Short mmCIF file of all heavy atoms in Angstrom, two decimals:
data_model
loop_
_atom_site.label_atom_id
_atom_site.label_comp_id
_atom_site.label_asym_id
_atom_site.label_seq_id
_atom_site.Cartn_x
_atom_site.Cartn_y
_atom_site.Cartn_z
N LEU A 18 43.11 0.97 9.59
CA LEU A 18 43.52 -0.33 10.09
C LEU A 18 43.39 -1.30 8.93
O LEU A 18 42.31 -1.49 8.39
CB LEU A 18 42.59 -0.72 11.24
CG LEU A 18 42.93 -1.92 12.10
CD1 LEU A 18 44.23 -1.70 12.82
CD2 LEU A 18 41.82 -2.14 13.10
N LEU A 29 42.22 -6.55 18.06
CA LEU A 29 43.21 -5.56 18.48
C LEU A 29 42.51 -4.27 18.91
O LEU A 29 42.78 -3.71 19.98
CB LEU A 29 44.15 -5.29 17.30
CG LEU A 29 45.60 -4.96 17.58
CD1 LEU A 29 46.28 -6.07 18.34
CD2 LEU A 29 46.31 -4.71 16.26
N TYR A 33 41.99 -2.76 22.70
CA TYR A 33 42.45 -1.42 23.05
C TYR A 33 41.31 -0.56 23.58
O TYR A 33 41.48 0.15 24.57
CB TYR A 33 43.09 -0.76 21.82
CG TYR A 33 43.63 0.61 22.11
CD1 TYR A 33 44.61 0.79 23.09
CD2 TYR A 33 43.16 1.72 21.43
CE1 TYR A 33 45.11 2.05 23.36
CE2 TYR A 33 43.66 2.98 21.70
CZ TYR A 33 44.62 3.14 22.66
OH TYR A 33 45.12 4.38 22.94
N LEU A 65 42.09 10.02 18.50
CA LEU A 65 42.45 9.00 17.53
C LEU A 65 41.18 8.41 16.91
O LEU A 65 40.33 7.89 17.62
CB LEU A 65 43.26 7.91 18.24
CG LEU A 65 44.01 6.89 17.40
CD1 LEU A 65 44.99 7.58 16.46
CD2 LEU A 65 44.76 5.94 18.33
N ALA A 90 48.62 4.52 9.41
CA ALA A 90 48.05 3.24 9.02
C ALA A 90 48.66 2.15 9.88
O ALA A 90 49.87 2.12 10.08
CB ALA A 90 48.30 2.97 7.55
N LEU A 91 47.80 1.30 10.39
CA LEU A 91 48.26 0.11 11.09
C LEU A 91 48.09 -1.06 10.14
O LEU A 91 46.97 -1.33 9.69
CB LEU A 91 47.43 -0.14 12.35
CG LEU A 91 47.67 0.75 13.57
CD1 LEU A 91 46.71 0.37 14.66
CD2 LEU A 91 49.11 0.61 14.05
N LEU A 92 49.17 -1.70 9.82
CA LEU A 92 49.11 -2.83 8.90
C LEU A 92 49.31 -4.10 9.71
O LEU A 92 50.41 -4.34 10.22
CB LEU A 92 50.17 -2.68 7.82
CG LEU A 92 50.00 -1.42 6.98
CD1 LEU A 92 51.33 -0.74 6.71
CD2 LEU A 92 49.25 -1.72 5.71
N VAL A 93 48.25 -4.84 9.86
CA VAL A 93 48.27 -5.98 10.77
C VAL A 93 48.41 -7.26 9.97
O VAL A 93 47.78 -7.43 8.91
CB VAL A 93 46.98 -6.02 11.62
CG1 VAL A 93 47.09 -7.06 12.71
CG2 VAL A 93 46.69 -4.66 12.23
N ILE A 123 52.80 1.66 10.62
CA ILE A 123 53.24 0.72 11.65
C ILE A 123 52.83 -0.67 11.22
O ILE A 123 51.63 -0.91 10.94
CB ILE A 123 52.65 1.05 13.04
CG1 ILE A 123 53.15 2.41 13.53
CG2 ILE A 123 53.03 -0.03 14.04
CD1 ILE A 123 52.64 2.79 14.89
N ILE A 124 53.75 -1.55 11.13
CA ILE A 124 53.43 -2.94 10.80
C ILE A 124 53.31 -3.70 12.11
O ILE A 124 54.18 -3.61 12.98
CB ILE A 124 54.51 -3.55 9.89
CG1 ILE A 124 54.57 -2.78 8.56
CG2 ILE A 124 54.22 -5.03 9.64
CD1 ILE A 124 55.76 -3.11 7.71
N VAL A 125 52.22 -4.39 12.25
CA VAL A 125 51.95 -5.10 13.50
C VAL A 125 51.86 -6.59 13.23
O VAL A 125 51.05 -7.04 12.41
CB VAL A 125 50.64 -4.60 14.14
CG1 VAL A 125 50.36 -5.35 15.43
CG2 VAL A 125 50.69 -3.11 14.38
N GLY A 126 52.69 -7.34 13.91
CA GLY A 126 52.57 -8.80 13.84
C GLY A 126 51.75 -9.27 15.03
O GLY A 126 52.18 -9.19 16.18
N TYR A 153 57.92 -1.46 13.39
CA TYR A 153 57.42 -2.83 13.51
C TYR A 153 57.18 -3.16 14.97
O TYR A 153 58.03 -2.88 15.84
CB TYR A 153 58.39 -3.84 12.89
CG TYR A 153 57.88 -5.25 13.00
CD1 TYR A 153 56.78 -5.67 12.25
CD2 TYR A 153 58.46 -6.16 13.90
CE1 TYR A 153 56.29 -6.95 12.37
CE2 TYR A 153 57.98 -7.44 14.02
CZ TYR A 153 56.89 -7.84 13.26
OH TYR A 153 56.38 -9.10 13.37
N MET A 154 56.06 -3.78 15.24
CA MET A 154 55.74 -4.20 16.60
C MET A 154 55.03 -5.54 16.56
O MET A 154 54.38 -5.87 15.56
CB MET A 154 54.82 -3.18 17.28
CG MET A 154 55.53 -1.92 17.73
SD MET A 154 54.44 -0.92 18.71
CE MET A 154 54.79 -1.52 20.34
N GLU A 155 55.15 -6.24 17.63
CA GLU A 155 54.41 -7.50 17.72
C GLU A 155 53.48 -7.44 18.92
O GLU A 155 53.82 -6.88 19.97
CB GLU A 155 55.38 -8.69 17.83
CG GLU A 155 56.10 -8.93 16.52
CD GLU A 155 56.64 -10.33 16.39
OE1 GLU A 155 56.73 -11.02 17.41
OE2 GLU A 155 56.96 -10.73 15.25
N THR A 156 52.32 -7.99 18.72
CA THR A 156 51.29 -7.91 19.76
C THR A 156 50.60 -9.26 19.94
O THR A 156 50.72 -10.17 19.11
CB THR A 156 50.20 -6.90 19.39
OG1 THR A 156 49.62 -7.31 18.16
CG2 THR A 156 50.73 -5.50 19.29
N SER A 157 49.88 -9.33 21.01
CA SER A 157 48.93 -10.42 21.18
C SER A 157 47.65 -9.84 21.75
O SER A 157 47.61 -9.43 22.91
CB SER A 157 49.50 -11.47 22.14
OG SER A 157 48.47 -12.37 22.50
N GLU A 162 49.12 -8.15 24.98
CA GLU A 162 50.55 -7.79 25.00
C GLU A 162 50.83 -6.81 23.89
O GLU A 162 50.57 -7.09 22.72
CB GLU A 162 51.42 -9.05 24.81
CG GLU A 162 51.61 -9.83 26.09
CD GLU A 162 52.29 -11.16 25.84
OE1 GLU A 162 52.88 -11.32 24.76
OE2 GLU A 162 52.19 -12.03 26.72
N GLY A 163 51.33 -5.66 24.28
CA GLY A 163 51.77 -4.68 23.31
C GLY A 163 50.67 -3.96 22.57
O GLY A 163 50.94 -3.24 21.62
N VAL A 164 49.43 -4.15 23.00
CA VAL A 164 48.33 -3.56 22.25
C VAL A 164 48.29 -2.05 22.43
O VAL A 164 48.33 -1.28 21.46
CB VAL A 164 46.99 -4.18 22.69
CG1 VAL A 164 45.84 -3.50 21.96
CG2 VAL A 164 46.98 -5.67 22.40
N SER A 165 48.26 -1.61 23.68
CA SER A 165 48.18 -0.17 23.90
C SER A 165 49.47 0.51 23.43
O SER A 165 49.44 1.66 22.99
CB SER A 165 47.92 0.12 25.37
OG SER A 165 48.89 -0.51 26.18
N GLU A 166 50.58 -0.22 23.51
CA GLU A 166 51.85 0.34 23.04
C GLU A 166 51.77 0.69 21.56
O GLU A 166 52.27 1.73 21.13
CB GLU A 166 53.00 -0.65 23.28
CG GLU A 166 53.42 -0.77 24.73
CD GLU A 166 52.61 -1.76 25.52
OE1 GLU A 166 51.51 -2.15 25.04
OE2 GLU A 166 53.03 -2.16 26.62
N VAL A 167 51.12 -0.19 20.81
CA VAL A 167 51.00 0.06 19.37
C VAL A 167 50.26 1.36 19.12
O VAL A 167 50.71 2.22 18.35
CB VAL A 167 50.27 -1.12 18.68
CG1 VAL A 167 49.78 -0.71 17.31
CG2 VAL A 167 51.18 -2.33 18.57
N PHE A 168 49.13 1.52 19.80
CA PHE A 168 48.32 2.71 19.55
C PHE A 168 49.00 3.97 20.08
O PHE A 168 48.88 5.05 19.48
CB PHE A 168 46.93 2.53 20.15
CG PHE A 168 46.11 1.53 19.40
CD1 PHE A 168 46.05 0.20 19.79
CD2 PHE A 168 45.42 1.91 18.25
CE1 PHE A 168 45.30 -0.71 19.08
CE2 PHE A 168 44.68 1.00 17.54
CZ PHE A 168 44.62 -0.32 17.94
N GLU A 169 49.73 3.81 21.17
CA GLU A 169 50.44 4.98 21.69
C GLU A 169 51.58 5.39 20.76
O GLU A 169 51.78 6.58 20.49
CB GLU A 169 50.98 4.68 23.09
CG GLU A 169 49.95 4.99 24.15
CD GLU A 169 50.38 4.49 25.51
OE1 GLU A 169 51.59 4.32 25.73
OE2 GLU A 169 49.48 4.25 26.35
N LEU A 170 52.26 4.39 20.26
CA LEU A 170 53.33 4.68 19.31
C LEU A 170 52.77 5.36 18.08
O LEU A 170 53.34 6.34 17.57
CB LEU A 170 54.06 3.38 18.93
CG LEU A 170 55.15 3.51 17.88
CD1 LEU A 170 56.33 4.32 18.43
CD2 LEU A 170 55.64 2.15 17.40
N LEU A 171 51.65 4.87 17.62
CA LEU A 171 51.01 5.45 16.44
C LEU A 171 50.68 6.90 16.68
O LEU A 171 50.99 7.78 15.85
CB LEU A 171 49.74 4.64 16.11
CG LEU A 171 48.91 5.16 14.94
CD1 LEU A 171 49.65 4.94 13.62
CD2 LEU A 171 47.56 4.48 14.89
N THR A 172 50.05 7.16 17.83
CA THR A 172 49.68 8.54 18.16
C THR A 172 50.92 9.43 18.23
O THR A 172 50.95 10.54 17.67
CB THR A 172 48.95 8.57 19.52
OG1 THR A 172 48.00 7.50 19.56
CG2 THR A 172 48.24 9.88 19.71
N GLN A 173 51.92 8.91 18.89
CA GLN A 173 53.14 9.69 19.05
C GLN A 173 53.75 10.02 17.70
O GLN A 173 54.12 11.17 17.42
CB GLN A 173 54.12 8.87 19.90
CG GLN A 173 55.31 9.67 20.40
CD GLN A 173 56.34 8.75 21.04
OE1 GLN A 173 55.98 7.69 21.56
NE2 GLN A 173 57.60 9.14 20.99
N LEU A 174 53.82 9.01 16.85
CA LEU A 174 54.41 9.22 15.53
C LEU A 174 53.59 10.22 14.73
O LEU A 174 54.15 11.08 14.02
CB LEU A 174 54.50 7.89 14.78
CG LEU A 174 55.57 6.92 15.26
CD1 LEU A 174 55.45 5.60 14.53
CD2 LEU A 174 56.97 7.52 15.07
#
Side-chain angles (χ1 to χ4, degrees):
Chain A
L18 190 62
L29 213 60
Y33 182 59
L65 193 57
L91 284 178
L92 299 139
V93 189
I123 296 181
I124 298 169
V125 180
Y153 180 70
M154 285 188 91
E155 289 202 344
T156 59
S157 168
E162 278 171 18
V164 177
S165 54
E166 286 86 344
V167 163
F168 289 95
E169 272 171 24
L170 176 67
L171 177 69
T172 316
Q173 193 189 332
L174 287 174

